[in-house]
Amino acid sequence: MAKRLLGLLGLLALLYAALCVLLFVFQGAFIYMPQARAPVHGTQMHVLKTEAGDVLVTTRPHPGAKAVVYFGGNAEDVGQSLPGLAQAFPEHAIYLLHYRGYGGSAGAPSEAALVADALQLMDQVEAAHAQVTVIGRSLGSGVAVQVAVQRPLARLVLVTPFHSMLELARERFPFVPVRWLLRDRYESWIYAPRIDVPTTIITAANDELIPRRSTDLLTAAFPPGVARQVVIGGAGHNDIGLSGQYLPALAGR
C-alpha cells in the first residue's frame, strides 16, 4: 500500500513538474495575442528599424507641437483605435505602435522588446513634437509607465491598467510558482512612484479581466496629486471604448 502511494505521489509530482514546464515554455500565449492589421482610411505607416526587423506604426499626421502615442492591449489591432483617438485629440498627430509580431511587425513580443520599441518611437516623435501624450491600454499600460519614467511627457493616460502582471498571474495560477516562472512581469507599481506628469487612470467599473483592487493599488503607488482615477460605470474591460464617457476621459475633459 505504501509503495503504491509513493508511486502515485511520484506520478503527481511528475505531472505537476510537466505543467510548470508547459506554463514556462508557452507563457507568451497567455500574455500576447497578436492580431492582423486591418486598413484604416486616412492613415500612413511609419517604420521603426529594429534588430528584429521592421516594426510598424500606424500614424495620423498633423502639424504642430502636440502628439499622442498609443500602446494597445494584448489582443488589439491598434489601428482600429485611431478614429476614436482622432475625435478625442483633433489637434494632435497620432502614432499607434503595432507590437512585434502584431499587424505585420517583425519579431516576437516580449516586455523588453516592446519597451525598447516604444522608447525608439518616442525619440522620433519627440524630435517632431514638443508636447507628447502617452496612452497605454491594458497590457500597453505596462509599457506606458516605463516610457513615462524615461522620456519627458506632457501627460500620461492609463486605460484599464494593472498593478503587476506577476500579481495577476499569481491570482490566475495560484497552484504554480509563477514568481520563478514568469519572464515578463510588467510591474507597473515599481515605476509609478517616479512619475511626475499629470496622469489619468481610466477604470471600467465592470472590468472582468483586471480586478479593481489591482488598478486601485497602482493608483495609490503614484506620488500624491499626480494621478486621478476616472471610473466609467457600466463598462467592461473590452467595451469601455463604447461608453460616451470614454473619449472625454482620454482627452482630460
Side-chain angles (χ1 to χ4, degrees):
M1 181 69 178
K3 189 174 182 180
R4 183 176 298 177
L5 180 59
L6 286 174
L8 179 60
L9 290 175
L11 177 60
L12 290 175
L14 284 174
L15 290 174
Y16 179 76
L19 174 63
C20 290
V21 169
L22 287 172
L23 287 173
F24 178 77
V25 172
F26 295 106
Q27 61 185 273
F30 293 96
I31 300 174
Y32 306 106
M33 301 175 185
Q35 302 296 308
R37 174 170 45 88
V40 179
H41 178 71
T43 64
Q44 299 179 13
M45 296 307 299
H46 176 74
V47 176
L48 295 178
K49 298 291 185 181
T50 76
E51 81 283 353
D54 291 349
V55 170
L56 304 181
V57 182
T58 292
T59 68
R60 194 285 301 268
H62 193 284
K66 297 179 180 180
V68 167
V69 177
Y70 180 83
F71 306 117
N74 71 333
E76 183 177 353
D77 172 11
V78 293
Q80 302 309 303
S81 295
L82 182 59
L85 291 171
Q87 273 187 265
F89 300 94
E91 302 301 319
H92 291 62
I94 300 173
Y95 301 81
L96 305 99
L97 179 67
H98 296 271
Y99 300 141
R100 298 190 192 192
Y102 287 65
S105 291
S110 69
E111 181 177 4
L114 268 56
V115 172
D117 295 345
L119 292 173
Q120 183 178 338
L121 174 59
M122 286 294 297
D123 289 340
Q124 295 182 14
V125 172
E126 289 180 332
H129 306 278
Q131 300 175 35
V132 181
T133 293
V134 165
I135 301 173
R137 179 171 179 174
S138 193
L139 174 71
S141 68
V143 178
V145 294
Q146 296 187 52
V147 168
V149 299
Q150 298 182 68
R151 297 295 184 271
L153 308 183
R155 183 167 167 253
L156 176 65
V157 182
L158 304 177
V159 181
T160 60
F162 50 84
H163 177 258
S164 162
M165 183 72 72
L166 176 62
E167 169 205 32
L168 296 179
R170 278 174 169 166
E171 293 182 3
R172 186 160 296 185
F173 302 102
F175 47 87
V176 297
V178 292
R179 171 177 289 277
W180 309 111
L181 299 176
L182 191 65
R183 290 188 295 261
D184 293 349
R185 301 184 174 214
Y186 292 100
E187 295 185 283
S188 295
W189 66 274
I190 292 176
Y191 303 97
R194 297 159 53 193
I195 295 174
D196 59 5
V197 299
T199 299
T200 301
I201 294 177
I202 303 176
T203 303
N206 298 334
D207 198 318
E208 66 282 10
L209 294 181
I210 307 298
R212 177 66 178 272
R213 181 179 63 83
S214 183
T215 302
D216 289 347
L217 283 171
L218 176 62
T219 304
F222 281 80
V226 169
R228 72 181 185 101
Q229 191 173 19
V230 177
V231 180
I232 297 185
H237 187 84
N238 293 318
D239 65 4
I240 190 171
L242 301 178
S243 169
Q245 302 173 59
Y246 180 64
L247 295 184
L250 283 182
R253 296 194 295 268

